[in-house]
Amino acid sequence: MTPSEKALVPFVSVEHMMQLIHQIGLEQILIDLTNAIEADFLRWPEFDKTPRVASHSETGVIELMPTSDGEVYGFKYVNGHPSNTRTGHQTVTAFGLLADVATGYPVLLSEMTILTALRTAATSAMAARALAPKGAHVMAMIGNGAQSEFQSLAMKAVCGVDTVRLYDIDANATRKCAANLASSGLKVIVCTSPEDAIEGAHILTTCTADKQYATILSDNMVGAGVHINAIGGDCPGKTELAKGILERSSIFVEYPEQTRIEGEIQQLESEHPVTELWQVLNGTQAGRTSQQQVTLFDSVGFAIEDFSALRYIKTAIQGTGFSIQLDMLADPDDPRDLFGMVQRSA
């Protein structure tokens, strides 16, 4: 039987995603995604919001991240398994789906391992654009795994960063990152300690993978007038910053109900004040108010960012051929006769 048009759903494979990146340009996609995510943050009240549904194990976590703006529904499946790289597996893998709310029919299925790296970097850049000190052009990138190059290039493309200072406990990871960024136009400085990496940096980005309470940055390492993007702390029992840094920072979050469980602020009392980033973007709450202020974006990733990224990809693939049609949906001639369709297929 030939599938009908109603049965087909566009699917963006890993190969297609890479082709799309090369056609549009990596930095341009990062700019586009930053603007797409910000546009959806500016209509934050329109979205259904819920903390992601997480299934934790000793080795990692598997999560579902749903949201809807009333017209389109989206979700992402994603895992985080820090020890995976020891066996040749990715730490994070993901795929996502968009559906039409009116009918419930899926309208896009996409790989999201690459897209998650892009949207995470774009979200970091969006926060830094709003919160970093004026004239910030040096970033410390602590944790040089799969996310580090995307973070560095997003800061370059969106925020005007021209220098990145790299550090990872694994020197091979730093060498990999430095080699990948060698022709990026960024000045790349390889550092031998976190203290070395943050010297002279205006933006401090931490993105480490270990599922544990860690102190990547101690309180005495962080001076006045910097912006911190803390990305690695993204599940219960996993943090990167000393509590003292949090206590003297202005803290900005995506969705407090999720961040208090998963983010750096799980170290603080539940009533500790935080500001939702969407309110800074729409001007109803203050962001950076002085050059001496320490601002902290406690980023755990939220479903609206994935929704924005999937909607961007759905538009970007139009007319490109960078998708295939999957026969995913049963479409009997009589919607009430699914059994008959199965029987006739013989």
Side-chain angles (χ1 to χ4, degrees):
M1 296 176 65
T2 302
S4 73
E5 186 175 331
K6 290 181 183 177
L8 301 176
V9 178
F11 169 60
V12 180
S13 68
V14 171
E15 180 65 26
H16 289 138
M17 188 64 71
M18 293 189 294
Q19 290 172 342
L20 186 66
I21 290 169
H22 287 296
Q23 175 168 293
I24 297 174
L26 179 56
E27 290 191 29
Q28 186 60 54
I29 280 188
L30 288 166
I31 292 169
D32 292 345
L33 281 173
T34 301
N35 293 333
I37 294 167
E38 184 167 308
D40 281 339
F41 269 52
L42 289 172
R43 60 189 190 102
W44 189 267
E46 298 177 20
F47 286 89
D48 291 336
K49 292 173 284 291
T50 182
R52 56 188 159 211
V53 180
S55 177
H56 293 278
S57 68
E58 291 184 1
T59 55
V61 63
I62 297 173
E63 300 168 327
L64 294 178
M65 301 173 65
T67 192
S68 172
D69 66 355
E71 294 184 2
V72 179
Y73 170 88
F75 80 85
K76 182 174 79 173
Y77 161 95
V78 62
N79 78 289
H81 286 67
S83 63
N84 269 5
T85 54
R86 298 171 197 164
T87 56
H89 295 80
Q90 289 279 301
T91 299
V92 174
T93 63
F95 66 86
L97 181 142
L98 292 179
D100 174 41
V101 167
T103 64
Y105 272 44
V107 296
L108 179 73
L109 177 65
S110 178
E111 84 79 36
M112 286 198 75
T113 305
I114 296 170
L115 187 55
T116 293
L118 291 167
R119 77 85 161 130
T120 302
T123 302
S124 295
M126 177 182 72
R129 182 164 65 183
L131 298 171
K134 292 180 180 179
H137 65 92
V138 179
M139 180 179 78
M141 184 70 240
I142 300 175
N144 301 154
Q147 179 66 216
S148 57
E149 296 91 346
F150 297 97
Q151 288 284 326
S152 300
L153 289 171
M155 292 298 171
K156 172 180 180 283
V158 176
C159 301
V161 163
D162 58 27
T163 302
V164 290
R165 300 177 64 86
L166 305 178
Y167 172 74
D168 194 292
I169 194 170
D170 180 356
N172 289 328
T174 301
R175 281 192 287 271
K176 175 270 304 180
C177 184
N180 285 340
L181 294 175
S183 60
S184 67
L186 287 164
K187 181 180 179 181
V188 178
I189 300 172
V190 172
C191 301
T192 57
S193 68
E195 293 85 352
D196 185 17
I198 66 175
E199 185 176 346
H202 316 107
I203 299 171
L204 316 181
T205 299
T206 57
C207 188
T208 59
D210 284 345
K211 189 178 180 181
Q212 62 180 343
Y213 292 114
T215 305
I216 307 304
L217 295 181
S218 58
D219 190 14
N220 64 347
M221 290 169 61
V222 177
V226 299
H227 171 69
I228 305 170
N229 277 334
I231 302 167
D234 58 1
C235 70
K238 184 170 183 256
T239 61
E240 297 179 313
L241 306 183
K243 183 178 179 181
I245 298 173
L246 308 180
E247 292 172 334
R248 59 188 176 88
S249 297
S250 299
I251 302 173
F252 302 85
V253 302
E254 291 136 322
Y255 186 57
E257 289 86 341
Q258 180 174 300
T259 310
R260 291 192 190 279
I261 296 169
E262 300 180 350
E264 295 296 327
I265 59 173
Q266 65 186 275
Q267 303 179 65
L268 302 177
E269 298 297 323
S270 60
E271 66 273 11
H272 190 93
V274 298
T275 301
E276 295 183 55
L277 184 59
W278 72 274
Q279 295 176 308
V280 176
L281 298 175
N282 75 5
T284 58
Q285 294 290 332
R288 174 170 291 276
T289 57
S290 77
Q291 285 293 94
Q292 295 305 304
Q293 184 181 8
V294 176
T295 55
L296 166 62
F297 179 44
D298 189 0
S299 177
V300 298
F302 192 63
I304 292 173
E305 298 152 18
D306 301 306
F307 177 96
S308 306
L310 286 166
R311 288 221 310 167
Y312 170 78
I313 291 300
K314 184 175 183 294
T315 299
I317 63 172
Q318 299 302 312
T320 65
F322 297 150
S323 66
I324 59 173
Q325 299 293 318
L326 292 185
D327 182 9
M328 284 184 61
L329 308 175
D331 183 38
D333 294 336
D334 179 352
R336 297 165 296 181
D337 191 18
L338 184 63
F339 181 85
M341 184 187 80
V342 174
Q343 291 298 93
R344 289 191 295 274
S345 69

